[in-house]
Amino acid sequence: MSTDAAKAEALTFEVTRREDVTPSERIAEILVDPGFGKTFTDHMVVATWTADGGWGDAKVKPYGPFQLDPAAAVLHYAQEIFEGMKAYRHADGSIWTFRPEANAARFARSARRLALPVLPEADFIESLRQLVTVDQEWVPAGGAGEKSLYLRPFMFASEAFLGVRPAQQVTYSVIASPAGAYFSGGLKPVTLWISTDYARAGEGGTGAAKCGGNYASSLAGQLEGIEHGCDQAVFLDSSTHTYIEELGGMNLFLVTKDGRIVTPELTGSILEGVTRNSILEIAKEEGLEPEERRIPIEEWKEGAASGEIVEVFACGTAAVVTPVGELRWNGGSVDHRREGHVDRYAEAIRAKLLDIQYGRVEDSRGWLTRLV
Ligand SMILES: Cc1ncc(COP(=O)(O)O)c(C=O)c1O
């Protein structure tokens, strides 16, 4: 079978259920306070691509370790990509996901950048549906608790070969992990550290791809931030150290006094967040004028000090919207919160996104896809 023929044919998934599934009472216990990324469901998806045969051997099988040859290319050259999404349970029990086509498209862009094979959108979405159908008991009741089932599709070079070239055998997989509310008891603003010694991504690099290497390279900056009492680091462009890019795992928005909502434009070193794109649409309903452009870090510092910038927040699938309180750097800090400050736009935009995701308002843009 040629690669093209394999591409045209949709994957069919062979389902093998675990005999010793987690008892319902135990799942219910876990779902009381699932935290993030520490418990996994009973099953996983696995599919294999080979240069000769294309995609095939798609399965839903019991969750468990991979058997990986020590020479598997991913362990040496980091040829790997991933996605992060959520499954939301609506009040009627049905289970939905948010803009999966956007994640499928980003996964395809990441694949091209890392010289991995593209998984067709239909197969990507079907793999989520297959896993969530089998493990549907693990999708928490959403409601006010904002709980969900986090979905982690990923792809890696599994060929055992130490030559540096695109792998001829690649593994695709999806695992799922119940996720609790990021914030319990109201939004808590985070403090950010401006990382000037470390960049997350560079011009012509892999910043716009969701590949493991970007996260590995963000860790030193993150640690530096934590050492300075901050929650996360904000990365600047690596060429001039002048312009705001993003956090290690979230995009940024600044709201100005005159009603503009500004976010760094996509320069190739920033990840194009699905939440970011959605906020650019939703913000208009809040009376804000969206603006995508290069933002000098000085504009943030000065605007926060002068009151020109009234709010800053970070956004991403995991935490949805997170207000930023203080900004610190080597030799200074600024806090844009005045007395009586409320993160009005962060709260309104966050509530609107969650209302759509949990089916509490009409999905007028067709952003939801039913999984179960
Ligand atoms: C580096 C980075 N930027 C931004 C985001 C936000 O993207 P999304 O809104 O698609 O979750 C993420 C999270 O996926 C990320 O890892």
Side-chain angles (χ1 to χ4, degrees), residues 82-85 103 106 150 152 200 207 209-210 214-215 246-252 270-278 315-318 320:
F82 66 99
E83 271 303 322
M85 341 174 35
N103 293 90
R106 187 169 68 189
Y150 183 79
R152 169 53 64 89
R200 172 190 167 273
K210 205 162 165 65
N214 292 342
Y215 299 80
E246 60 176 326
L247 311 190
M250 284 194 266
N251 296 116
L252 271 173
I270 296 174
L271 192 82
E272 184 175 356
V274 178
T275 320
R276 173 189 180 279
N277 282 353
S278 309
C315 68
T317 297
V320 192

Side-chain angles (χ1 to χ4, degrees), residues 51 69 98 115 144 147 201 210 260 264 299 319 329 338 352:
D69 193 290
F98 184 70
K147 291 176 192 170
K210 205 162 165 65
R260 285 171 296 126
E299 181 179 332
W329 60 92
R338 304 275 180 284
K352 194 155 271 183

Side-chain angles (χ1 to χ4, degrees), residues 215-364:
Y215 299 80
S217 71
S218 76
L219 296 177
Q222 288 284 119
L223 276 183
E224 193 185 66
I226 289 165
E227 279 160 16
H228 287 85
C230 298
D231 301 292
Q232 296 205 34
V234 49
F235 293 97
L236 306 180
D237 76 284
S238 67
S239 309
T240 69
H241 309 284
T242 307
Y243 300 102
I244 304 167
E245 296 226 307
E246 60 176 326
L247 311 190
M250 284 194 266
N251 296 116
L252 271 173
F253 280 95
L254 280 61
V255 182
T256 65
K257 200 164 67 180
D258 60 357
R260 285 171 296 126
I261 181 162
V262 194
T263 193
E265 70 182 8
L266 303 171
T267 53
S269 50
I270 296 174
L271 192 82
E272 184 175 356
V274 178
T275 320
R276 173 189 180 279
N277 282 353
S278 309
I279 290 174
L280 284 169
E281 293 253 335
I282 283 178
K284 293 177 210 152
E285 290 164 18
E286 294 301 316
L288 295 169
E289 181 70 36
E291 219 172 271
E292 292 176 78
R293 62 172 169 84
R294 303 207 98 183
I295 309 169
I297 188 71
E298 287 308 315
E299 181 179 332
W300 182 356
K301 291 181 187 173
E302 287 164 15
S306 69
E308 198 55 43
I309 292 168
V310 291
E311 235 179 278
V312 177
F313 59 82
C315 68
T317 297
V320 192
V321 166
T322 308
V324 177
E326 195 185 333
L327 182 64
R328 289 186 196 166
W329 60 92
N330 238 333
S333 72
V334 68
D335 196 325
H336 62 267
R337 292 167 297 179
R338 304 275 180 284
E339 213 178 303
H341 176 87
V342 276
D343 288 293
R344 179 183 143 203
Y345 291 108
E347 280 175 18
I349 289 170
R350 183 169 205 278
K352 194 155 271 183
L353 274 170
L354 287 167
D355 281 347
I356 297 170
Q357 290 166 340
Y358 285 96
R360 294 188 289 251
V361 294
E362 196 205 340
D363 171 27
S364 58

